[in-house]
């Protein structure tokens, strides 16, 4: 890429993936990347607390506080520009990204999903719902997927995926914990691939060199 990856992280909850990414950056495992901003739609989200206590700029931005969707998206885009964000990482962000954000950051937005996409993805498949569906279907494997975000839920180009076995006595909770552990390894790795230029990004395409 030839320039720093200035990352805005979006999240709605706990923020453990953000913490894992922050740790990786602070430990020098992702050279050329920094987190310039954390955005959350939820004022009480753990991700905002982690950001504030780590000295990362953090904004609670909820569409409800704006007169219109347009005003909200204008403000969000201006905030991203103000912090010089050139890359967006979704880490447990439970809101749909507006079309104008996807266009402004085309192929520069990634998401982590707690399953082996394209299976167990799509609308309504998030968080514990995913693990409950995997357990109900008695799948032998699950895992985590990092993918580029496009207009369709959980649909864009897959960057990295890791598989883990589901044991017959796993509950959705125990499976969630196992998958989360994998996520914490996979997400920093995927970001490192972008930071090192192993993913070539253009407005039309994403080329991955493994
Ligand atoms: C993670 O398991 C992530 O994969 C999932 O939300 C959790 C966030 O945890 N995301 C989705 O389900 C998106 N469809 P965290 O706040 O501790 O990082």
């Amino acid at each position: 890429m030839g320039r720093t990856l200035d990352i805005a992280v979006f999240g709605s909850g706990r923020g453990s993936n953000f913490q894992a990414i922050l740790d990786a950056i602070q430990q020098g495992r992702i050279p050329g990347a920094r987190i310039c901003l954390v955005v959350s739609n939820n004022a009480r989200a753990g991700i905002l607390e982690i950001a504030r206590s780590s000295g990362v700029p953090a904004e609670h931005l909820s569409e409800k506080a704006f007169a219109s969707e347009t005003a909200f998206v204008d403000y969000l885009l201006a905030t991203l520009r103000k912090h010089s964000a050139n890359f967006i990482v979704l880490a447990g962000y439970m809101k749909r990204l507006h079309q104008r954000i996807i266009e402004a950051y085309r192929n520069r937005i990634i998401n982590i999903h707690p399953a082996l996409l394209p299976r167990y993805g799509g609308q309504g498949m998030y968080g514990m719902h995913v693990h409950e569906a995997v357990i109900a279907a008695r799948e032998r494997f699950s895992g985590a997927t990092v993918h580029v975000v496009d207009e369709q839920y959980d649909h864009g180009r897959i960057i990295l995926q890791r598989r883990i076995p589901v044991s017959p006595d796993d509950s959705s909770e125990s499976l969630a914990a196992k998958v989360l552990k994998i996520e914490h390894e996979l997400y920093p790795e995927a970001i490192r691939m972008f930071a090192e230029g192993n993913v070539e990004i253009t407005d039309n395409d994403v080329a991955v060199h493994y």
Side-chain angles (χ1 to χ4, degrees), residues 146 157-161 193 198-199 207-210:
V146 177
R157 170 73 188 256
I158 289 174
I159 303 296
L160 274 184
Q161 189 166 66
M193 288 171 64
N198 291 333
V199 184
V208 188
H209 307 289
Y210 293 99

Side-chain angles (χ1 to χ4, degrees), residues 1 3-4 75 107 116 123 171 176 198:
M1 225 182 172
R3 57 171 177 170
T4 330
Y75 189 87
N107 292 329
L116 297 173
Q123 195 150 15
S171 63
N198 291 333

Side-chain angles (χ1 to χ4, degrees), residues 67-90:
S68 65
E69 184 183 76
T70 305
F72 169 66
V73 178
D74 284 347
Y75 189 87
L76 185 49
L77 282 171
T79 304
L80 289 166
R81 268 195 301 273
K82 187 175 104 189
H83 291 275
S84 308
N86 59 23
F87 199 78
I88 297 175
V89 165
L90 305 185

